[in-house]
């Protein structure tokens, strides 16, 4: 298995420039709620389209955060035997996601994140207050 980098963040509240720890949030409940809603309610449109889904591993729910690649992004498939490349065609009802995994630790409102595309530089997911 290839090495992956995992970033850890602590969820805090910021008031008057001071970060303060908060009570432990109900991550299990929040993830269960997300799992029950249709995909349209788990989708956010902005600079890119983000879709959330839930995956269970070792009896713990994780958030999969999918950034749907734009139709203009270069997506291709290589035949390893011949070296031939062909472009992937994206249909109107489908998209190609770049998936990051978010794990909510059961203490201290700590979140672990493993970013999807390893060839891309890490995106900042939070900004210091």
């Amino acid at each position: 298995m290839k090495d992956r980098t995992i970033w850890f963040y602590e969820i805090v509240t910021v008031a008057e420039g001071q970060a303060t720890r908060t009570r432990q949030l109900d991550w299990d409940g929040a993830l269960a709620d997300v799992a029950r809603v249709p995909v349209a309610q788990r989708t956010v449109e902005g600079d890119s389209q983000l879709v959330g889904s839930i995956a269970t591993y070792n009896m713990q729910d994780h958030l999969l955060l999918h950034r749907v690649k734009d139709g203009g992004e270069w997506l291709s498939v290589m035949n390893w035997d011949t070296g031939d490349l062909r472009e992937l065609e994206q249909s109107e009802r489908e998209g190609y996601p770049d998936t990051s995994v978010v794990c909510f630790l059961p203490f201290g409102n700590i979140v672990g994140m493993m970013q999807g595309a390893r060839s891309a530089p890490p995106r900042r997911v939070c900004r210091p207050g």
Side-chain angles (χ1 to χ4, degrees):
M1 179 173 209
K2 299 208 180 235
D3 291 339
R4 300 296 295 247
T5 300
I6 300 175
W7 289 273
F8 291 94
Y9 303 93
E10 180 179 14
I11 306 298
V12 297
T13 55
V14 177
E16 298 177 14
Q18 295 295 320
T20 307
R21 288 190 167 152
T22 61
R23 64 175 176 75
Q24 181 65 31
L25 299 172
D26 179 18
W27 298 116
D28 291 334
L31 294 174
D33 289 346
V34 169
R36 287 190 286 267
V37 299
V39 70
Q41 293 177 331
R42 295 182 275 118
T43 301
V44 175
E45 297 279 347
D47 290 341
S48 38
Q49 182 181 30
L50 300 173
V51 181
S53 64
I54 305 303
T56 304
Y57 180 75
N58 282 346
M59 297 175 43
Q60 181 179 2
D61 287 339
H62 295 42
L63 174 65
L64 300 182
L65 186 58
H66 313 281
R67 182 187 66 84
V68 181
K69 293 180 178 278
D70 294 329
E73 289 187 60
W74 181 29
L75 298 171
S76 58
V77 175
M78 177 182 276
N79 179 319
W80 294 112
D81 293 330
T82 65
D84 292 337
L85 290 169
R86 69 175 167 82
E87 288 189 40
L88 290 175
E89 293 184 22
Q90 189 168 329
S91 76
E92 182 179 321
R93 306 299 300 160
E94 296 178 324
Y96 298 105
D98 174 15
T99 302
S100 295
V101 180
V102 182
C103 175
F104 298 88
L105 280 63
F107 57 87
N109 288 320
I110 305 294
V111 177
M113 183 171 183
M114 183 171 59
Q115 188 174 343
R118 293 184 293 181
S119 62
R123 289 181 197 82
R124 182 173 236 169
V125 294
C126 62
R127 289 174 174 67

